[in-house]
Every structure is written in C-alpha cells, then in structure tokens.
Amino acid sequence: MNKQKLLTIAIPCYNSQDYLARAMKSVLIGDNRIEILIVDDGSTDKTPELADQYAKKYPDIVRVIHKENGGHGDAVMTGLANAAGKYYKVLDSDDWLNRRALAAVMNFIAENETMDNSFDMIISDYVYEKLGKKHKKRIGYRGVMPVRTPFTWDKLGKFMPWQNILMHSVIYRTQLLKKTGIKLPKHTFYVDNIYVYHPLPYVKKVYYLDVDLYHYVIGRSDQSVNEKVMMGRIDQQVLVTKLMIDDHSLRNVENSMLRRYMSQYLAMMMTVSTAFLIKIGTPESLAERDALWNYLKKHGSQYKYVHRNILGKVMQMKTRPGMFIIKVGYTISQKLVGFN
C-alpha cells in the first residue's frame, strides 16, 4: 500500500455485518489518497470475512486490523497507532459519509498539501439520521466560527448547547493527535467525548469546511445513545465525565475563548450524567449524582467555570420541583435536537 496518504478513515467494527457495506460505499470514492482502516474489534459475526474481502479487492486503499475485543475507544486508538494518513477521521460502522462532501474535504486537504499548509483540526457539519423521521437534523457551525478560512481559537463565537464539536464533526492531524498522549479506556462507552475534548488545548490552527460530511444514525434500540441503554450504562457515562474533569485544569487553558467552550462542554457532560441519574431516581443514583458534583468541586478550577454556565447552575438543584425541571428540560431538548 502507498504510504503517502492524506487521510486515514478508521472504521471501528464490532459485529457490523449489517452496516459495513453502507459505510464502505460512502468512503470508497475512487481516491487513492484515502486510507481506510477497518478495525475488527473481535467480531463474532461475518464482519472479519467481509472486511478481508474489501482489503483483497482494494489493496491500495483498504487495510484490516483484527484484534481482541477492547471496545470502541480501543479500536479508535488501534486505528490511530496504525494510521498512515496525514489526517485522521473516525467513522462508526453504522454511520456513513456523504461522498460529495468527502471529495470536497479531500480536494481541500490536497490543495493545502501542495502549499505545505497544515491544520491541526478540520471541522465539518454533520446530520442526525434518526430512524423513521423524514426531517433530518443538521448541526452546523456557521456563526460560531469563520467559514472556509484558517482561524485560531480567538475567533470562536458562542456555541449553542447542541453545537458541541463531536467526533462526527472533527478531523485531527494525525501527528498532533498522537503527540497529545491521548488515551481512551477499554470496554467503555462514550469515550468519543474524551477523543474530542482532550486534544483541544494542543490545537492552534483550525479550518471549518461547511459541508454535511458525517451522517450519524440514531434511533436503534441497541445503540449506546439510546436512553434506556444510557441509563443502564450510567456508570460508564459518569466515569467518562470524571476522566474529563481530571484531564485539563481549565485555569491553565490560556485562550479565554477555548476555555469558555471547554467549560461549556464539561457542563454538558455534567448535565447528561445528572439528568440520567435523576431519571433513574433510586437512592443510589441520587447519591451518585451528589458524589459526581462533589468530585467536580474538588477540582476548584473546573467547578468555577462549570458553575458559571447556566446548565451548571440548573443541574445542581436538589429540590423535588428542581429535579422535575431537570427531567422535563432534558426531555424537551431531546425532542428539539433529536439526539437520541
């Protein structure tokens, strides 16, 4: 395989036989500058055989890595460790990329490569593909950041609560991502939040390409973002939130605009954990909610900035009416944004 690749697209797979063909069709656009890494995370269905067939058919583009099951984050890290592309993009196996948008991204990367011009992060828009819904919710960043021009964090505007930069919207420069020392825990869901959050202070040069690149499928009953599934895995959501609290001292984030955004992201994580612990409603879950906020308070810098955020203030209400407001507010936000 030609090692001079501009973009590595890593596709973590676990029992993805029903979805892999759609994901692969979306990235096989006839561009040999793309490297596709299918990371088979110990699948027990036909995923390994299907992956090997793609590698055999497209030997200059597709590579397959078979590994023991370690969870989504471990598959992402395995892809990163083996990536040959200058930039690194993660595509979950049940999602897909818009082919025209991907071609536009590749043209942009190639043009800047000829000018020896690199970016630490490339951001694009994404679309929620909710099953059974004709109207698809698009998440874009116009008005939040400059469009199609290089910028630094000083140029950031104010993000709406649903506009966080997610794994779906980000492409990182591979070497920068490696140099950050990023680590994702094994056998843990929701680590995509760490994947996006951890590298932010290392990013200096950003570009926003306003194309609907990523199509994020939601609405399946077995998905990690399904409400019942999230409530059943609340321990993992809380763990990821704590890891993000530990990750950076917001006081040490030099750029004030980036610090504001990171505090908003952390407030969002606290909101999701708090809302689900309240929805569960057992004495144990409510005690876990209190423990999580006490954990944050021990990190004085993080608590100070999260508490300034309106979500951070609302989520600390402990009265019965207050908890009712939190539950209703979360339900309304689900319907407005359609995120699970």
Side-chain angles (χ1 to χ4, degrees):
M1 178 180 287
N2 178 8
K3 294 184 178 180
Q4 302 302 313
K5 298 290 185 176
L6 295 183
L7 176 65
T8 293
I9 300 175
I11 306 181
C13 293
Y14 177 73
N15 290 353
S16 305
Q17 64 179 23
D18 296 332
Y19 317 114
L20 185 57
R22 182 177 61 186
M24 291 298 294
K25 181 179 179 180
S26 75
V27 294
L28 286 168
I29 61 172
D31 194 330
N32 288 340
R33 299 168 300 182
I34 296 175
E35 171 190 49
I36 302 169
L37 285 184
I38 303 176
V39 184
D40 167 34
D41 190 38
S43 298
T44 58
D45 63 357
K46 294 181 180 179
T47 299
E49 294 91 331
L50 293 173
D52 288 339
Q53 289 173 18
Y54 280 110
K56 184 177 181 179
K57 187 174 181 179
Y58 304 97
D60 293 330
I61 299 175
V62 180
R63 279 198 290 153
V64 179
I65 300 172
H66 298 289
K67 58 181 288 296
E68 293 183 0
N69 181 261
H72 184 261
D74 192 51
V76 170
M77 294 301 297
T78 298
L80 178 62
N82 289 274
K86 182 173 182 177
Y87 293 93
Y88 186 70
K89 176 70 177 174
V90 178
L91 171 63
D92 286 342
S93 60
D94 55 346
D95 299 331
W96 74 90
L97 302 184
N98 180 282
R99 291 167 61 89
R100 288 186 179 181
L102 178 57
V105 169
M106 292 305 301
N107 288 336
F108 165 74
I109 292 175
E111 288 171 5
N112 282 274
E113 184 72 8
T114 60
M115 296 184 291
D116 196 25
N117 189 22
S118 297
F119 297 91
D120 297 325
M121 172 191 281
I122 300 170
I123 296 171
S124 59
D125 302 330
Y126 66 96
V127 179
Y128 282 113
E129 294 282 347
K130 190 162 188 177
L131 298 179
K133 296 288 185 179
K134 291 184 179 180
H135 177 69
K136 309 301 182 182
K137 182 68 176 182
R138 175 181 176 273
I139 303 298
Y141 302 97
R142 280 182 170 269
V144 179
M145 55 188 72
V147 181
R148 302 201 179 209
T149 184
F151 69 93
T152 61
W153 295 126
D154 291 324
K155 300 298 183 181
L156 276 186
K158 188 174 182 180
F159 289 76
M160 298 301 289
W162 57 82
Q163 280 183 304
N164 284 317
I165 301 169
L166 302 183
M167 182 179 277
H168 322 310
S169 51
V170 69
I171 299 172
Y172 279 120
R173 185 164 57 84
T174 305
Q175 288 305 313
L176 175 124
L177 195 55
K178 290 179 177 180
K179 288 180 180 179
T180 67
I182 186 171
K183 296 179 181 179
L184 302 179
K186 292 184 177 183
H187 301 295
T188 306
F189 287 90
Y190 317 118
V191 295
D192 51 312
N193 295 289
I194 301 173
Y195 176 85
V196 176
Y197 183 83
H198 172 78
L200 292 176
Y202 301 89
V203 170
K204 305 303 179 186
K205 191 175 181 182
V206 190
Y207 195 94
Y208 167 44
L209 193 62
D210 57 337
V211 294
D212 296 342
L213 177 62
Y214 198 105
H215 288 254
Y216 174 36
V217 178
I218 56 175
R220 296 202 325 268
S221 60
D222 61 337
Q223 268 187 305
S224 61
V225 294
N226 175 274
E227 182 173 301
K228 291 182 179 179
V229 175
M230 289 188 74
M231 290 171 69
R233 295 171 177 161
I234 189 61
D235 59 323
Q236 298 181 48
Q237 175 71 31
V238 170
L239 171 61
V240 168
T241 302
K242 287 181 176 179
L243 290 172
M244 291 173 65
I245 291 171
D246 293 338
D247 199 14
H248 294 292
S249 172
L250 294 178
R251 183 186 296 112
N252 295 332
V253 176
E254 296 180 0
N255 187 281
S256 61
M257 304 301 285
L258 177 59
R259 184 168 61 244
R260 182 178 71 179
Y261 170 69
M262 291 178 68
S263 66
Q264 176 179 313
Y265 199 118
L266 203 54
M268 182 272 292
M269 293 296 295
M270 292 295 296
T271 297
V272 173
S273 295
T274 301
F276 279 119
L277 288 168
I278 290 174
K279 275 178 168 284
I280 294 169
T282 63
E284 292 79 13
S285 70
L286 296 179
E288 182 63 31
R289 174 204 57 182
D290 294 341
L292 178 60
W293 280 97
N294 288 332
Y295 191 87
L296 179 65
K297 288 176 181 178
K298 291 179 181 178
H299 297 69
S301 169
Q302 278 80 322
Y303 178 74
K304 181 179 75 170
Y305 289 108
V306 169
H307 184 65
R308 287 179 181 176
N309 188 286
I310 184 62
L311 286 175
K313 293 178 180 179
V314 171
M315 287 299 126
Q316 295 181 74
M317 295 189 297
K318 294 184 180 181
T319 63
R320 184 170 295 179
M323 290 192 289
F324 177 77
I325 290 172
I326 292 171
K327 288 192 288 186
V328 171
Y330 186 81
T331 300
I332 292 173
S333 67
Q334 280 181 307
K335 292 181 179 180
L336 286 176
V337 182
F339 50 80
N340 62 32

